Amino acid sequence: MQASPTILAAVALDRRDATVLRHAAKLAALFHARSVLAVHVAAAPTGESPPPVEERLERLVNEHRGLMPPATNLEAVVRRGNRVTELVQVAAETRADCLVIGRRPRDEHDALSDAVRKLHWKTPCSVLIVPEGAPADYQRILAACDFSEHSRDALRVAAVIRRAAPRGELTIEHIFALPSLPHLAGRSVDEFVEIQRSEARKRWFEFLLAGPAPNPLEGLEHAIRLDESEQVPRALTRAAIDVDADLIIVGSHGLTPRASGLLGHVADGVAAQTVRPFLCVKRKGEVVDLLQALLGLYENR
């Protein structure tokens, strides 16, 4: 996320909105946001009885304005139409840096919760998914790292959040898979795990040295986990339980055919499995050039 970002908070005008706005306010404070837009997408007008959604949203905004940092402006935005289409379009129009969206428990399906998967794939900015009632207190952070430049972006965000919590903890998780048929090399599975773990340690230090200065982790206490698994989302979710993470951070690899598979496999998998706040960090505008195609796709669904 860049300096003075714009944050969107997708509100549903129900009980989860307080959680969404608390997390939006937390990001606003951490990254010195200039504005938070509380966006509600309503259905087309049907002769609704008072109070109209505009009035209800304005009341919600006024009730929660005090959560925001003094320099952050909280505004109400009402759009009408397809929920995914409109939120993606608002994100593009405002050049938003992050969309915060709340999700009800898995056994309580609703339209906004069901749209989460599409939104965190298609929104041209970072996406923070917050389960209803999750505290906006990021003391223990788990950041995934696959030694890509996109995971470096995630680590930069994780470092900013960790530095704002003096007694906080940052754990960096790298998950590796074993080569196929290890027995053909005359070594046991355990031996191969140690070989891969040793290689991962070497790649970690090379990754740090290859990055631009300053190193975002310099002077910042952190732990490294190197775990073997074929199921990356499951392993990342398990690691979050092990460290009792308040926030999971994963870097998106964009929306190319190859990269969308990774995002679908890891970010989508973690978002579906975890009951903890989950931040998918994207490079701002990386998918904007695909916006019109996406809007057309969802308008036809």
Side-chain angles (χ1 to χ4, degrees), residues 33-110:
R34 61 180 177 272
S35 61
V36 172
L37 306 180
V39 183
H40 176 69
V41 180
T46 57
E48 60 189 342
S49 58
V53 292
E54 286 81 2
E55 182 180 326
R56 293 167 61 196
L57 181 58
E58 194 62 42
R59 185 163 59 243
L60 175 73
V61 165
N62 289 335
E63 289 172 355
H64 293 83
R65 202 177 298 278
L67 292 174
M68 301 297 152
T72 301
N73 185 36
L74 177 61
E75 301 176 34
V77 176
V78 174
R79 299 288 284 260
R80 295 182 183 274
N82 178 278
R83 185 170 285 101
V84 173
T85 298
E86 293 302 322
L87 285 171
V88 171
Q89 194 158 16
V90 171
E93 290 171 357
T94 61
R95 298 189 57 80
D97 296 83
C98 187
L99 169 68
V100 184
I101 184 167
R103 185 175 59 193
R104 286 183 177 175
R106 294 174 189 165
D107 58 349
E108 295 184 24
H109 291 286
D110 75 298

Side-chain angles (χ1 to χ4, degrees), residues 149 152 156 208-216:
E149 290 306 304
R152 196 186 301 279
R156 291 192 188 99
L208 289 181
L209 291 174
N215 174 2

Side-chain angles (χ1 to χ4, degrees), residues 34-264:
R34 61 180 177 272
S35 61
V36 172
L37 306 180
V39 183
H40 176 69
V41 180
T46 57
E48 60 189 342
S49 58
V53 292
E54 286 81 2
E55 182 180 326
R56 293 167 61 196
L57 181 58
E58 194 62 42
R59 185 163 59 243
L60 175 73
V61 165
N62 289 335
E63 289 172 355
H64 293 83
R65 202 177 298 278
L67 292 174
M68 301 297 152
T72 301
N73 185 36
L74 177 61
E75 301 176 34
V77 176
V78 174
R79 299 288 284 260
R80 295 182 183 274
N82 178 278
R83 185 170 285 101
V84 173
T85 298
E86 293 302 322
L87 285 171
V88 171
Q89 194 158 16
V90 171
E93 290 171 357
T94 61
R95 298 189 57 80
D97 296 83
C98 187
L99 169 68
V100 184
I101 184 167
R103 185 175 59 193
R104 286 183 177 175
R106 294 174 189 165
D107 58 349
E108 295 184 24
H109 291 286
D110 75 298
L112 188 59
S113 293
D114 293 342
V116 166
R117 180 174 181 270
K118 294 177 182 178
L119 283 166
H120 91 78
W121 269 46
K122 309 304 182 186
T123 305
C125 62
S126 299
V127 178
L128 173 61
I129 302 170
V130 293
E132 182 184 330
D137 184 21
Y138 312 141
Q139 294 293 322
R140 293 176 297 278
I141 304 160
L142 180 72
C145 180
D146 63 358
F147 309 131
S148 70
E149 290 306 304
H150 290 80
S151 64
R152 196 186 301 279
D153 295 340
L155 290 182
R156 291 192 188 99
V157 172
V160 171
I161 298 173
R162 167 61 182 84
R163 290 184 191 280
R167 294 184 298 278
E169 300 172 5
L170 171 60
T171 302
I172 297 163
E173 172 79 5
H174 174 71
I175 300 163
F176 59 88
L178 293 180
S180 60
L181 302 178
H183 62 277
L184 295 180
R187 294 187 175 93
S188 69
V189 171
D190 288 344
E191 286 177 312
F192 255 100
V193 168
E194 286 309 310
I195 290 171
Q196 293 295 97
R197 187 169 282 123
S198 177
E199 178 64 23
R201 290 192 191 97
K202 178 182 176 182
R203 291 186 64 194
W204 167 249
F205 289 111
E206 292 174 347
F207 173 75
L208 289 181
L209 291 174
N215 174 2
L217 300 178
E218 188 172 351
L220 187 64
E221 185 176 348
H222 58 277
I224 307 292
R225 285 177 57 116
L226 305 170
D227 292 324
E228 180 273 323
S229 179
E230 295 286 342
Q231 302 294 326
V232 177
R234 185 177 301 172
L236 195 55
T237 302
R238 185 171 59 245
I241 295 171
D242 289 347
V243 302
D244 194 19
D246 300 309
L247 178 66
I248 303 170
I249 303 178
V250 173
S252 161
H253 283 233
L255 206 59
T256 63
R258 176 184 176 188
S260 63
L262 177 62
L263 178 59

Side-chain angles (χ1 to χ4, degrees), residues 277-288:
F278 172 70
L279 176 60
C280 181
V281 176
K282 301 182 185 181
R283 293 187 171 181
K284 185 175 179 180
E286 191 172 49
V287 298
V288 169

